Amino acid sequence: MQINTENNQTALRNLEIATGETISDCYQCGKCTAGCPASMDPSPSLLIHLLKLGLFNQAISAESVWDCMSCLTCSERCPKNVNPAAIIEGLKRIHLNNMDSEINLHSLGQEFLAHSTQQAVVSGFRKFV
Amino acid sequence: MPEKMTHIPYYPGCTLKSKALGYERSAKDCARVIGFEMHDIEKWNCCGASFPLTKDNLMGLAAPTNILVEAEQHCTERKIDAQLITLCSFCYNTLKRTDFAFKEDPGKLKTLNEFLDRKYHGNVKVTHYLEYLRDVIGFDNLSKMVKTDLSHLRVAPYYGCLLLKPEKELGLDDPEEPVILHDFLDALGCQVVDFPGQVDCCGAYLIMRNPDKVLELSHKILDEAAEYGAQTLVTACPLCQSNLDQSEVVRGEMPILYFTQLLAIALGLETEHHQFDTHCVDPKSIVASCQKFKECANAK
Ligand code: SF4
Ligand code: SF4
């Protein structure tokens, strides 16, 4: 996924193609946010609202995308069949493609890694690096 | 002991061969008593742990596709139905969703086959161990194999996220009101503690970025389970086990067991190498409180 974020409309369209989602389907009921355990701020529905308003740069610079843990509660409950978790992952990937990784693996420390499950480390690589 | 063991191909995944060895060992030991033998597929790689959520991310499907190819070959060589049993919720989710993605879009399968220069035919039925117990063995039959009195034990079933979601693709159980672990515990004869946090997220891979948040979420789940009277909690996911167990060191003393560890106790197996001792909260007192029926005063 390589998305040029300079033109909002093109960027939005490309995000939709990459994620397979239709952002305009969201009718802002807030059900995704109500069930989100990550207390994201901006919330998943607000992130989608920003995208709908064409405020693409505001959405991708939101720190809260990194709080999402892909639990899929939002996606499972959305009455409009939107997949907020996928949209958020799309936003994360735009970041990771353009910038440094979100976690510094060296700073995690040997002891922390020794106690971690392999699946957490691998997922960490997939989502934050 | 059943006369002929059913041969079941098994995908372990990374965590089951390291941090969650007790989960794998207890599952395999129980399987042998129940009547099936889990065979590791010959060559396997990490499944990638997290299924890629964006539709254009085909690279994320390469690792699980390789596993499905291996499983298919394993079954073809032995002339058995193409299936693959898993224990870890993450592996289950990733493998089953990959297979689903190909059913939904055969073009993706073609691309992946060309990229890997291998051929996956799309025939593997990915099954979770719990699902196998429910649908093939049957919980009724399982309950007849129980040799230990667990009637005093109050156990909370904890599902987490990836065992159930997305329902459309996994189809294991209702993601909001699941019953499979409840029914399993019921079959073992313990008291099932139905608590609201059973499908809440433990924080999952966020442990790599924000451990405090994970401890907070796990803490809340355990607080609820304790409030509803649970003495122990069972899970099917090594990452849930690890997050909850680490949180419990700060919060209280509730042991977090793999459902197969409790199954091994129920079946009256030798649990010495099931690695109860590697858990942060030692389940010794729980294990000690369970006695075989013949040793009870009111033996059946
Ligand atoms: S639940 Fe669906 S429709 Fe409602 S706000 Fe969230 S994404 Fe939009
Ligand atoms: S997937 Fe992310 S945004 Fe959706 S409910 Fe879970 S943590 Fe919140």
Side-chain angles (χ1 to χ4, degrees):
Chain A
M1 184 202 287
Q2 278 299 342
I3 295 185
N4 177 352
T5 54
E6 272 158 35
N7 178 322
N8 273 332
Q9 276 315 311
T10 319
L12 188 63
R13 186 71 205 112
N14 286 338
L15 180 69
E16 289 193 322
I17 293 170
T19 56
E21 294 300 307
T22 309
I23 287 165
S24 59
D25 279 355
C26 165
Y27 58 12
Q28 285 293 302
C29 66
K31 199 170 180 186
C32 50
T33 299
C36 175
S39 2
M40 290 163 56
D41 181 18
S43 64
S45 52
L46 185 52
L47 286 171
I48 296 174
H49 190 52
L50 292 172
L51 291 170
K52 286 178 78 175
L53 292 176
L55 301 170
F56 197 84
N57 281 316
Q58 236 170 291
I60 58 160
S61 52
E63 264 291 305
S64 67
V65 296
W66 304 108
D67 295 330
C68 168
M69 44 229 177
S70 312
C71 73
L72 306 182
T73 306
C74 52
S75 317
E76 196 69 36
R77 292 183 184 170
C78 174
K80 292 287 286 174
N81 218 6
V82 178
N83 187 345
I87 296 170
I88 291 163
E89 183 151 315
L91 294 173
K92 284 184 193 171
R93 286 183 50 216
I94 295 170
H95 257 273
L96 297 173
N97 284 345
N98 295 325
M99 290 162 224
D100 285 345
S101 73
E102 181 55 28
I103 49 171
N104 179 355
L105 291 169
H106 296 292
S107 70
L108 291 174
Q110 287 303 322
E111 210 205 337
F112 178 82
L113 288 173
H115 282 102
S116 303
T117 57
Q118 283 64 22
Q119 68 198 99
V121 178
V122 176
S123 296
F125 267 91
R126 293 255 157 145
K127 307 286 187 180
F128 299 128
V129 180
Chain B
M1 189 78 79
E3 280 159 21
K4 193 173 178 313
M5 293 278 172
T6 312
H7 178 117
I8 301 289
Y10 159 62
Y11 171 72
C14 315
T15 314
L16 273 288
K17 289 294 182 193
S18 43
K19 186 121 196 296
L21 210 50
Y23 186 12
E24 176 181 282
R25 286 178 180 168
S26 52
K28 284 188 167 177
D29 286 356
C30 292
R32 258 175 242 122
V33 172
I34 294 167
F36 60 104
E37 178 93 40
M38 294 157 69
H39 294 267
D40 296 16
I41 52 174
E42 283 74 12
K43 276 189 260 161
W44 59 268
N45 47 270
C46 169
C47 69
S50 295
F51 182 79
L53 300 179
T54 50
K55 284 254 158 51
D56 72 332
N57 186 356
L58 295 187
M59 269 318 277
L61 302 183
T65 308
N66 236 340
I67 296 161
L68 293 169
V69 173
E70 286 294 335
E72 214 167 44
Q73 282 178 1
H74 179 103
C75 298
T76 312
E77 281 161 20
R78 288 164 184 79
K79 299 192 174 58
I80 54 175
D81 288 345
Q83 66 167 320
L84 188 61
I85 207 166
T86 59
L87 286 165
C88 168
S89 301
F90 275 53
C91 302
Y92 171 68
N93 189 284
T94 302
L95 292 168
K96 193 147 188 187
R97 292 194 74 180
T98 301
D99 182 62
F100 185 90
F102 296 151
K103 292 205 164 60
E104 211 179 29
D105 181 358
K108 269 188 189 167
L109 176 58
K110 194 165 166 276
T111 309
L112 261 297
N113 277 342
E114 276 167 17
F115 174 71
L116 295 171
D117 199 16
R118 307 190 72 177
K119 192 149 177 61
Y120 176 52
H121 299 86
N123 293 330
V124 176
K125 184 173 185 293
V126 180
T127 310
H128 193 272
Y129 189 96
L130 259 179
E131 195 176 9
Y132 191 84
L133 293 182
R134 180 189 65 186
D135 299 345
V136 180
I137 306 299
F139 287 149
D140 283 354
N141 292 323
L142 191 65
S143 72
K144 292 181 198 133
M145 301 176 197
V146 172
K147 297 216 162 33
T148 307
D149 185 3
L150 300 180
S151 60
H152 63 292
L153 207 58
R154 297 189 301 276
V155 189
Y158 175 69
Y159 295 86
C161 311
L162 295 186
L163 187 65
L164 304 171
K165 297 182 193 115
E167 186 194 14
K168 187 179 105 188
E169 297 180 34
L170 303 180
L172 180 69
D173 204 346
D174 187 307
E176 305 282 357
E177 299 274 349
V179 293
I180 188 167
L181 263 179
H182 288 66
D183 293 347
F184 165 79
L185 292 174
D186 213 27
L188 301 195
C190 33
Q191 298 173 39
V192 187
V193 179
D194 186 42
F195 75 112
Q198 61 198 0
V199 292
D200 289 354
C201 182
C202 68
Y205 63 75
L206 210 61
I207 191 78
M208 300 300 290
R209 185 177 181 270
N210 188 352
D212 289 344
K213 180 72 189 172
V214 173
L215 293 188
E216 181 196 316
L217 290 167
S218 294
H219 204 120
K220 192 171 154 273
I221 292 165
L222 290 161
D223 269 347
E224 266 182 18
E227 241 170 70
Y228 277 69
Q231 293 165 298
T232 179
L233 177 148
V234 292
T235 171
C237 176
L239 184 49
C240 298
Q241 198 283 336
S242 165
N243 284 345
L244 294 170
D245 201 21
Q246 287 183 48
S247 154
E248 196 57 3
V249 174
V250 189
R251 197 206 68 92
E253 289 170 352
M254 196 192 301
I256 316 296
L257 297 176
Y258 291 113
F259 72 96
T260 51
Q261 288 177 316
L262 190 62
L263 178 59
I265 296 173
L267 297 176
L269 305 187
E270 209 44 74
T271 56
E272 223 163 87
H273 63 300
H274 294 167
Q275 298 206 324
F276 288 93
D277 54 341
T278 61
H279 296 207
C280 302
V281 178
D282 196 338
K284 218 184 292 158
S285 60
I286 296 283
V287 180
S289 75
C290 305
Q291 297 195 349
K292 290 196 186 165
F293 279 119
K294 60 175 164 35
E295 291 160 15
C296 297
N298 312 319
K300 270 194 180 174

Short mmCIF file of all heavy atoms in Angstrom, two decimals, chain A residues 36-38 40 44 68-74 85 88, ligand 2:
data_model
loop_
_atom_site.label_atom_id
_atom_site.label_comp_id
_atom_site.label_asym_id
_atom_site.label_seq_id
_atom_site.Cartn_x
_atom_site.Cartn_y
_atom_site.Cartn_z
N CYS A 36 -15.87 -0.45 21.90
CA CYS A 36 -14.41 -0.52 21.78
C CYS A 36 -13.75 -0.53 23.15
O CYS A 36 -13.93 0.40 23.94
CB CYS A 36 -13.90 0.67 20.96
SG CYS A 36 -12.10 0.73 20.89
N PRO A 37 -12.97 -1.58 23.46
CA PRO A 37 -12.35 -1.66 24.78
C PRO A 37 -11.09 -0.81 24.91
O PRO A 37 -10.53 -0.68 25.99
CB PRO A 37 -12.00 -3.15 24.90
CG PRO A 37 -11.80 -3.61 23.50
CD PRO A 37 -12.68 -2.76 22.63
N ALA A 38 -10.64 -0.19 23.79
CA ALA A 38 -9.34 0.47 23.83
C ALA A 38 -9.41 1.94 24.25
O ALA A 38 -8.40 2.61 24.28
CB ALA A 38 -8.68 0.36 22.46
N MET A 40 -10.24 4.57 22.69
CA MET A 40 -9.49 5.36 21.71
C MET A 40 -10.01 6.79 21.62
O MET A 40 -11.20 7.03 21.63
CB MET A 40 -9.60 4.69 20.33
CG MET A 40 -8.83 3.39 20.24
SD MET A 40 -9.31 2.38 18.84
CE MET A 40 -9.06 3.49 17.49
N PRO A 44 -13.06 5.07 17.11
CA PRO A 44 -13.17 4.53 15.75
C PRO A 44 -14.20 5.27 14.90
O PRO A 44 -13.93 5.57 13.73
CB PRO A 44 -13.58 3.07 15.96
CG PRO A 44 -13.52 2.79 17.41
CD PRO A 44 -13.16 4.04 18.13
N CYS A 68 -5.51 0.57 19.06
CA CYS A 68 -6.40 -0.51 18.60
C CYS A 68 -5.68 -1.84 18.70
O CYS A 68 -4.51 -1.96 18.36
CB CYS A 68 -6.82 -0.24 17.16
SG CYS A 68 -7.62 -1.66 16.38
N MET A 69 -6.38 -2.87 19.19
CA MET A 69 -5.74 -4.18 19.30
C MET A 69 -6.41 -5.22 18.41
O MET A 69 -6.33 -6.41 18.68
CB MET A 69 -5.70 -4.64 20.75
CG MET A 69 -6.98 -4.43 21.50
SD MET A 69 -6.64 -3.62 23.07
CE MET A 69 -8.30 -3.40 23.67
N SER A 70 -7.11 -4.73 17.37
CA SER A 70 -7.73 -5.63 16.38
C SER A 70 -8.61 -6.70 17.03
O SER A 70 -8.58 -7.86 16.61
CB SER A 70 -6.67 -6.31 15.51
OG SER A 70 -5.75 -5.38 15.05
N CYS A 71 -9.38 -6.30 18.03
CA CYS A 71 -10.23 -7.29 18.72
C CYS A 71 -11.45 -7.63 17.88
O CYS A 71 -12.14 -8.61 18.14
CB CYS A 71 -10.64 -6.77 20.08
SG CYS A 71 -11.87 -5.45 20.01
N LEU A 72 -11.75 -6.82 16.89
CA LEU A 72 -12.85 -7.02 15.93
C LEU A 72 -14.25 -6.84 16.51
O LEU A 72 -15.23 -7.18 15.86
CB LEU A 72 -12.74 -8.39 15.24
CG LEU A 72 -11.41 -8.71 14.54
CD1 LEU A 72 -11.49 -10.08 13.88
CD2 LEU A 72 -11.04 -7.66 13.52
N THR A 73 -14.34 -6.32 17.72
CA THR A 73 -15.66 -6.08 18.31
C THR A 73 -16.44 -5.10 17.45
O THR A 73 -17.62 -5.32 17.14
CB THR A 73 -15.52 -5.51 19.75
OG1 THR A 73 -14.70 -6.40 20.49
CG2 THR A 73 -16.85 -5.36 20.43
N CYS A 74 -15.76 -4.02 17.04
CA CYS A 74 -16.42 -3.00 16.21
C CYS A 74 -16.92 -3.61 14.90
O CYS A 74 -18.07 -3.40 14.50
CB CYS A 74 -15.44 -1.86 15.93
SG CYS A 74 -13.86 -2.42 15.27
N ALA A 85 -12.00 -1.94 12.14
CA ALA A 85 -10.67 -2.48 12.45
C ALA A 85 -9.78 -2.51 11.21
O ALA A 85 -8.58 -2.24 11.28
CB ALA A 85 -10.80 -3.88 13.04
N ILE A 88 -8.72 1.08 10.37
CA ILE A 88 -7.66 1.51 11.29
C ILE A 88 -6.33 0.85 10.91
O ILE A 88 -5.27 1.49 10.92
CB ILE A 88 -8.06 1.22 12.75
CG1 ILE A 88 -9.21 2.16 13.14
CG2 ILE A 88 -6.88 1.37 13.71
CD1 ILE A 88 -9.98 1.76 14.36
S1 SF4 C 2 -10.75 -3.60 16.72
FE1 SF4 C 2 -9.76 -1.75 17.50
S2 SF4 C 2 -11.23 -0.11 17.12
FE2 SF4 C 2 -12.35 -2.03 16.92
S3 SF4 C 2 -13.26 -2.36 18.95
FE3 SF4 C 2 -11.29 -3.46 18.89
S4 SF4 C 2 -9.77 -2.03 19.73
FE4 SF4 C 2 -11.62 -0.82 19.19
#
